Amino acid sequence: MMDLHTHSTHSDGSLTPEELVGRAQSVGVTHLALCDHDCIDGLREAESAAKGAGVAFIAGVELDVAYEGEMHILGLGIRDDAGFRAWLKEIESRRAERNRRIIQKFDDHGMALLPDLPKRPMGLVSRTHIAYALVQRGKAKNITDAFQKYMVKGRIAYDTHQKPSLHEALSRIGQVGGKSVLAHPGKLSADLEKAVQMLALNGLWGLEVFYPAHNRAKRESLLALCAKYRLMPTCGSDFHGAYRPGVNLGMAWEDNAQLCLTRELLFSAKE
Ligand code: AMP
Ligand code: MN
Ligand code: MN
Ligand code: MN
């Protein structure tokens, strides 16, 4: 089984990289990528744990890019690189400023969340952690409810930070040897084919066709887009551990010939 989209405590996942690899091994994921949001600090730990566990591993990242609504791009098979790391740290500091503004907005509405935010020894703080704090306070039923009530556009604590352009994100991923994949295309609010066209012109490699929230019809239409724009289909669960209940490692995997080629292209250099 292959899972190319997972998160650890270095972003908004609840398992450390080592625990994630252990979970992968125990549920039968043989090919794994870790793609923390805008962060590559967990990759070394995951890679060494994967070596010990006999799990084939590739290094990844999930970048937020500036595009109508939200767009996330996975970079798969990236090299550790000082310039890339420094660029991500700039994004992280803009995100930290945004978090301060969000927390201030909650403060202004009589909700002091700071004491409830995890004291995190590693990784970046995400809106997921803020949502979780709201759930713990009884201010929302679950994480999705917390987003809907407070943090989506138009709600009291909506805020955003400056994100790289689509062109910059894809070229940065390319510079460190990575393959760019449009994450969860089914969640895109913008026109999908227009976005794919633009991404393809900028070097997109794949589409995350197999994803828990995509039904058969969605997968089929995405496979047609792959054929039309010569893109590879990928599979990813977007596992966040306890921060996304109901989503398990490997759950987007479908054993078909197209994913075998994807796996070969991504992992062959490493096996
Ligand atoms: P951030 O990267 O800090 O902006 O936080 C975004 C993260 O929050 C995403 O990666 C998702 O994991 C999660 N998220 C965003 N929107 C929602 C939503 N409507 N419901 C549940 N989780 C969400
Ligand atoms: Mn997330
Ligand atoms: Mn995403
Ligand atoms: Mn993700």
Side-chain angles (χ1 to χ4, degrees):
M1 212 159 37
M2 175 163 71
D3 194 332
L4 300 172
H5 185 169
T6 67
H7 295 275
S8 78
T9 41
H10 285 271
S11 64
D12 57 352
S14 66
L15 302 185
T16 65
E18 192 180 352
E19 289 165 346
L20 175 78
V21 170
R23 179 75 67 90
Q25 187 191 30
S26 71
V27 301
V29 170
T30 54
H31 293 74
L32 177 73
L34 171 61
C35 297
D36 276 313
H37 295 288
D38 302 330
C39 180
I40 58 174
D41 295 346
L43 294 173
R44 194 180 299 205
E45 180 185 323
E47 179 147 36
S48 91
K51 214 170 267 171
V55 172
F57 180 78
I58 52 167
V61 69
E62 179 174 17
L63 301 179
D64 273 59
V65 305
Y67 197 80
E68 197 189 315
E70 286 219 353
M71 181 188 276
H72 294 177
I73 302 291
L74 304 174
L76 297 178
I78 56 174
R79 277 193 305 273
D80 194 359
D81 175 272
F84 189 62
R85 193 176 281 277
W87 180 69
L88 292 176
K89 290 294 166 194
E90 284 171 29
I91 296 174
E92 188 177 333
S93 67
R94 293 201 291 271
R95 178 192 285 275
E97 281 169 34
R98 178 209 63 177
N99 290 346
R100 278 192 282 278
R101 292 194 299 272
I102 292 177
I103 289 161
Q104 184 62 49
K105 288 175 185 180
F106 280 111
D107 263 1
D108 295 345
H109 284 80
M111 284 176 268
L113 295 179
L114 204 51
D116 286 357
L117 289 179
K119 305 284 172 288
R120 313 190 71 235
M122 53 169 84
L124 48 78
V125 173
S126 142
R127 284 181 297 164
T128 301
H129 301 106
I130 299 174
Y132 192 68
L134 287 160
V135 175
Q136 304 248 289
R137 283 281 182 95
K139 300 283 183 195
K141 288 198 293 279
N142 52 45
I143 288 178
T144 304
D145 186 44
F147 270 90
Q148 296 303 332
K149 264 189 175 147
Y150 303 105
M151 288 190 287
V152 296
K153 209 168 193 164
R155 298 294 181 175
I156 57 158
Y158 171 77
D159 207 321
T160 188
H161 58 292
Q162 192 201 321
K163 297 167 182 177
S165 70
L166 168 165
H167 172 77
E168 183 175 20
L170 269 66
S171 72
R172 290 273 183 177
I173 289 169
Q175 279 164 21
V176 293
K179 295 176 165 67
S180 295
V181 172
L182 176 60
H184 40 71
K187 286 189 187 171
L188 199 73
S189 57
D191 182 274
L192 177 61
E193 183 154 1
K194 207 169 114 197
V196 168
Q197 229 165 28
M198 174 93 88
L199 286 161
L201 285 172
N202 282 277
L204 188 72
W205 184 79
L207 281 185
E208 194 172 47
V209 171
F210 300 95
Y211 187 82
H214 294 168
N215 61 19
R216 177 185 288 269
K218 187 78 207 171
R219 295 195 300 265
E220 277 167 10
S221 68
L222 289 168
L223 284 172
L225 276 182
C226 285
K228 184 167 175 186
Y229 294 95
R230 299 184 186 284
L231 301 168
M232 295 303 299
T234 73
C235 61
S237 65
D238 210 357
F239 178 77
H240 284 68
Y243 291 125
R244 194 167 290 182
V247 170
N248 299 315
L249 276 173
M251 74 184 279
W253 165 257
E254 284 216 357
D255 198 3
N256 63 39
Q258 279 149 313
L259 282 174
C260 290
L261 179 57
T262 298
R263 186 180 63 199
E264 214 171 293
L265 294 172
L266 287 169
F267 289 88
S268 61
K270 310 229 359 166
E271 278 173 350

